[in-house]
Amino acid sequence: ALWTNKANWGNNYGVDYWSFNSSNIGTDDGLLVNVDTEISQKASGPYRMKLNAGTQEKPLCFSGSGGFVFRNYSSNGRIYVGDEAAAYVSINGPYFCAYDGVYIAEGDYDATVVLENGLLTSETHIFIGRHSGRTGTLTVNGGEVRTGFNGDTREAGWNRTIFVGGNDSSNPGTGILNVNGGIVQSKEIYLGGTTGISGTLNIDGGE
């Protein structure tokens, strides 16, 4: 299936979210979403994205030269993958920019993001696997993953960090970061940053 019409994209939470889930993309095959322009959201429209669909055999795929920018702070401006259902997302071209975090396997489900080409970035942090008993996987085959919206990773403190496996010992997750190509850039990368958390980094190329 191929969707290019923004009006068809599921907005299941009023003005809060753009949502892609199994009910609004169907289950017969995977879904290719073509993005040829920038979709920039502030408080006046949906300012978060939820990606809760796709399997390895039938992925939720994004292509094109445009992208998404979610600009709000304070728990807004976020991208969630697999917070309400298992998800497998492939990105080949577009950019996904979140001002307040990217969360892969944030809820009760496993989730995978594969970056073939394009950009996945957060002004603050990226969490890969942040829920007890669940696994989040980020595989970078090309393109760029970075924290610091403008590529500025000099700021000290908690922000501008990639957490592989989360950061909460009371809710330990499993995170896997595979780097086969492309660029991964962050001020800090924590692998299993605290007790009970499992974080794995596999490098077979890239920078």
Side-chain angles (χ1 to χ4, degrees):
L2 170 64
W3 284 7
T4 57
N5 182 0
K6 190 173 84 169
N8 287 337
W9 299 356
N11 183 3
N12 296 342
Y13 299 87
V15 299
D16 288 348
Y17 300 99
W18 287 121
S19 177
F20 291 84
N21 58 47
S22 58
S23 63
N24 64 33
I25 74 169
T27 58
D28 291 339
D29 55 12
L31 175 69
L32 173 63
V33 180
N34 192 56
V35 186
D36 285 331
T37 61
E38 178 172 300
I39 299 165
S40 180
Q41 299 292 357
K42 299 182 180 180
S44 59
Y47 46 79
R48 279 180 272 182
M49 173 176 273
K50 287 174 172 279
L51 305 176
N52 291 300
T55 65
Q56 186 171 1
E57 295 75 24
K58 300 176 181 180
L60 171 58
C61 301
F62 290 87
S63 68
S65 58
F68 301 91
V69 180
F70 295 90
R71 297 184 179 278
N72 281 53
Y73 291 94
S74 301
S75 80
N76 302 323
R78 293 181 174 182
I79 296 171
Y80 294 95
V81 184
D83 67 318
E84 295 178 344
Y88 192 102
V89 177
S90 175
I91 301 170
N92 191 1
Y95 47 89
F96 287 72
C97 306
Y99 269 65
D100 194 46
V102 175
Y103 299 79
I104 301 171
E106 169 75 3
D108 290 325
Y109 305 92
D110 297 339
T112 296
V113 174
V114 179
L115 183 66
E116 301 289 355
N117 189 27
L119 174 65
L120 179 64
T121 184
S122 170
E123 170 67 17
T124 54
H125 41 263
I126 296 174
F127 288 100
I128 307 169
R130 198 183 178 217
H131 199 279
S132 181
R134 299 302 174 185
T135 299
T137 303
L138 173 59
T139 296
V140 184
N141 294 327
E144 183 176 0
V145 173
R146 70 170 182 247
T147 58
F149 193 82
N150 295 312
D152 182 356
T153 59
R154 295 173 294 174
E155 299 262 347
W158 188 60
N159 290 345
R160 291 166 174 78
T161 302
I162 297 175
F163 293 94
V164 184
N167 66 334
D168 183 358
S169 60
S170 66
N171 194 19
T174 297
I176 301 170
L177 174 58
N178 300 312
V179 183
N180 302 319
I183 298 170
V184 177
Q185 176 179 279
S186 183
K187 177 181 180 292
E188 298 171 318
I189 298 177
Y190 289 163
L191 302 175
T194 189
T195 303
I197 293 174
S198 174
T200 302
L201 172 62
N202 300 310
I203 301 177
D204 191 25
E207 301 178 38

